[in-house]
C-alpha cells in the first residue's frame, strides 16, 4: 500500500499556557541549497501490527533537489507516522483527496494538514552536510541517524480548510486551532 506523503512546512512543540509553537528544529544561519529543495518530509502509513494507536519515528533524511530530482549531501528530517489500519482509514475518510484547483484559484484547500501528537519535547540535531551538497564523490553526511521514536495513543488531524473546502491559514497560535476551521479528527486508543 502506498503511504500518504508530503512535505512539512513547520514542526515544533506546543508548551506552556500560550500554546505557541516552540522548540523548532535548528537551522544553520545559511543553508547551502535553495528553495527548489525539500528538507522536511512526512510519511503516513497503515500497519495493523501497531500495539497502540500508532507510532512516530523521526530520523535524519537527505535533502531532495526537486529540479535535479535527486538527493543532495545535506540532512533534513523525516517524520514517519504509522497508524493502526482502522485509524488510517479514519484519516483517509476525514481528509480525503486534495482536489486539483482550477487555474487561478487561490482559495481552495492546498492539502495542508496540522497534526497534533502528544509528546515530550526532544532535541533535534543541527542539519549537517557538505558546504557544496551537489559535489559528486565522497559524501560528507555518512549514515543517517535516528532522532526519536515513540508510541502514541492520541492524535488530532486537522485539514487546514473551512466547511466550504477553502484554504485557511495556519498562524503562530496554530496549536489552539481556529473556530473557522473544519473540525479536527481526534483519534484515541
Amino acid at each position: 500500500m502506498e503511504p500518504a506523503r508530503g512535505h512539512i512546512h513547520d514542526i515544533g512543540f506546543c508548551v506552556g499556557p500560550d500554546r505557541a509553537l516552540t522548540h523548532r528544529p535548528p537551522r544553520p544561519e545559511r543553508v547551502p541549497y535553495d528553495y527548489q529543495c525539500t528538507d522536511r518530509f512526512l510519511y503516513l502509513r497503515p500497519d495493523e501490527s501497531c500495539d497502540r494507536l500508532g507510532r512516530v519515528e523521526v530520523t535524519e533524511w537527505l535533502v531532495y533537489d526537486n529540479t535535479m530530482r535527486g538527493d543532495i549531501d545535506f540532512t533534513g528530517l523525516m517524520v514517519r507516522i504509522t497508524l493502526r489500519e482502522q485509524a488510517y482509514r479514519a484519516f483517509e475518510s476525514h481528509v480525503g483527496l486534495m482536489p486539483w484547483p482550477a487555474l487561478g484559484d487561490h482559495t481552495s484547500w492546498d492539502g495542508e494538514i496540522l497534526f497534533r501528537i502528544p509528546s515530550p519535547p526532544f532535541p533535534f540535531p543541527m542539519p549537517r552536510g557538505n558546504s557544496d551538497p551537489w559535489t559528486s564523490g565522497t559524501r560528507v553526511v555518512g549514515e543517517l541517524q535516528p532522532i526519536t521514536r515513540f508510541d502514541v495513543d492520541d492524535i488530532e488531524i486537522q485539514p487546514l480548510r473551512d466547511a466550504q473546502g477553502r484554504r485557511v491559514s495556519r498562524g503562530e497560535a496554530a496549536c489552539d486551532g481556529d473556530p473557522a476551521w473544519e473540525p479536527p479528527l481526534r483519534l484515541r486508543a
Side-chain angles (χ1 to χ4, degrees):
M1 168 175 289
E2 186 73 18
R5 48 179 196 257
H7 306 291
I8 297 173
H9 293 286
D10 201 359
I11 185 171
F13 298 94
C14 291
V15 294
D18 66 349
R19 297 177 48 110
L21 203 58
T22 61
H23 296 85
R24 291 177 170 94
R27 280 216 160 127
E29 277 188 39
R30 293 180 45 206
V31 292
Y33 52 87
D34 60 21
Y35 66 92
Q36 295 291 341
C37 293
T38 304
D39 62 354
R40 295 176 180 179
F41 305 89
L42 171 74
Y43 279 84
L44 187 73
R45 65 182 181 182
D47 183 358
E48 200 51 48
S49 68
C50 283
D51 294 337
R52 314 274 281 277
L53 177 71
R55 179 180 327 104
V56 175
E57 298 168 84
V58 183
T59 61
E60 287 183 322
W61 208 252
L62 290 175
V63 172
Y64 185 81
D65 184 325
N66 295 295
T67 303
M68 302 297 286
R69 297 185 183 187
D71 298 327
I72 61 173
D73 193 25
F74 210 83
T75 60
L77 63 90
M78 158 78 74
V79 176
R80 186 175 290 120
I81 302 172
T82 305
L83 295 174
R84 261 198 250 150
E85 188 79 28
Q86 66 192 35
Y88 186 84
R89 296 292 161 239
F91 158 76
E92 282 185 321
S93 176
H94 183 72
V95 172
L97 295 175
M98 185 187 88
W100 286 100
L103 191 59
D105 178 4
H106 301 288
T107 62
S108 64
W109 180 56
D110 59 2
E112 282 197 39
I113 302 169
L114 178 67
F115 290 90
R116 295 180 187 102
I117 303 170
S119 158
F122 52 84
F124 290 98
M126 180 65 84
R128 58 194 175 86
N130 196 329
S131 59
D132 181 7
W134 290 274
T135 304
S136 60
T138 306
R139 300 292 254 177
V140 171
V141 168
E143 190 172 326
L144 298 173
Q145 301 298 311
I147 297 171
T148 192
R149 177 183 175 156
F150 56 93
D151 291 328
V152 295
D153 287 325
D154 187 8
I155 187 170
E156 192 171 294
I157 302 166
Q158 175 94 54
L160 294 182
R161 62 185 176 210
D162 64 15
Q164 287 76 43
R166 294 180 302 228
R167 173 186 332 172
V168 295
S169 65
R170 79 189 134 77
E172 263 309 298
C175 290
D176 290 327
D178 185 304
W181 294 0
E182 177 181 317
L185 171 66
R186 290 182 175 92
L187 298 171
R188 290 185 172 80

